[in-house]
Amino acid sequence: FRIIVNRYQNHIFSIGMRFFRNEDDSDDYVQDIFLKAFNELGSYRERAPFRVWLIRIAYNYGINIVKSKKSQSLINEDELSDESTPEKSHVKDETIAILRKAIDALPDKYRICVDLFFFTGCKYADIMEITGYPVNTIKSNVLRAKKILRNKLRGTIAEDYHEM
């Protein structure tokens, strides 16, 4: 189990940071996920890679926590480059706020697919295993979410954020 923890703890921590945006809560989240995975290890059926099974546990657990605390976006602030001047720092903060608001406003089925695809780096097949959505539905949800986000971000400083 130590090998599993060493191999996946950084990845689970980054998922936790997307949910909670602070290290203390993310550290607690990582511990909770590995305890949960250890307790549910007997349910792993090898239909999907172990990583996908673990991400599904982490993502579902995170969603449940966030829903109980109110919805938050899963954008990783580190995705935007670190800027050195106060003006650039302000633009970065404002862009993050606009992106969070736009992502939070997405319907859940779109937001989940966007989060897993862009911020967790999952492939469509992995997202299918995690969410249960068919691959074509996932592709459609990502495309529709991108279109919605482009429209919502049009005319804002976040419009030039091309990761979407």
Side-chain angles (χ1 to χ4, degrees):
F1 196 72
R2 183 183 319 146
I3 293 169
I4 291 171
V5 171
N6 288 337
R7 182 174 292 161
Y8 297 108
Q9 70 183 350
N10 291 337
H11 191 72
I12 300 301
F13 180 82
S14 70
I15 293 171
M17 287 296 290
R18 286 179 174 84
F19 280 107
F20 308 110
R21 294 185 202 94
N22 77 63
E23 291 184 14
D24 292 335
D25 288 344
S26 296
D27 285 335
D28 292 342
Y29 171 80
V30 169
Q31 290 178 359
D32 290 346
I33 294 304
F34 283 113
L35 284 172
K36 194 168 187 58
F38 182 78
N39 290 330
E40 295 181 19
L41 204 50
S43 71
Y44 176 58
R45 301 286 180 237
E46 299 184 30
R47 291 185 313 208
F50 182 81
R51 179 182 69 86
V52 172
W53 178 79
L54 187 61
I55 290 172
R56 179 185 308 162
I57 290 172
Y59 197 79
N60 288 336
Y61 184 72
I63 286 174
N64 291 336
I65 291 173
V66 168
K67 280 184 180 179
S68 69
K69 291 182 177 180
K70 293 186 180 178
S71 180
Q72 300 176 18
S73 101
L74 305 181
I75 185 167
N76 183 353
E77 295 178 18
D78 295 332
E79 295 287 328
L80 298 174
S81 63
D82 189 24
E83 304 295 344
S84 57
T85 67
E87 179 183 356
K88 289 181 180 179
S89 180
H90 174 72
V91 168
K92 174 186 167 189
D93 292 344
E94 192 171 331
T95 300
I96 289 169
I98 292 168
L99 284 169
R100 275 191 189 137
K101 185 176 180 180
I103 291 171
D104 284 344
L106 288 172
D108 284 343
K109 64 183 180 179
Y110 296 164
R111 185 176 43 79
I112 289 169
C113 292
V114 165
D115 289 336
L116 289 171
F117 185 76
F118 288 106
F119 302 123
T120 306
C122 290
K123 296 176 181 168
Y124 291 127
D126 295 342
I127 298 170
M128 180 182 75
E129 288 294 324
I130 293 167
T131 64
Y133 297 154
V135 171
N136 286 336
T137 300
I138 295 164
K139 289 178 182 181
S140 177
N141 288 351
V142 169
L143 288 174
R144 288 178 182 149
K146 286 169 65 174
K147 184 177 179 180
I148 291 169
L149 290 172
R150 278 191 199 106
N151 288 334
K152 286 185 179 200
L153 299 177
R154 190 167 284 130
T156 70
I157 62 170
E159 180 175 22
D160 294 328
Y161 187 64
H162 296 291
E163 292 297 314
M164 294 287 161

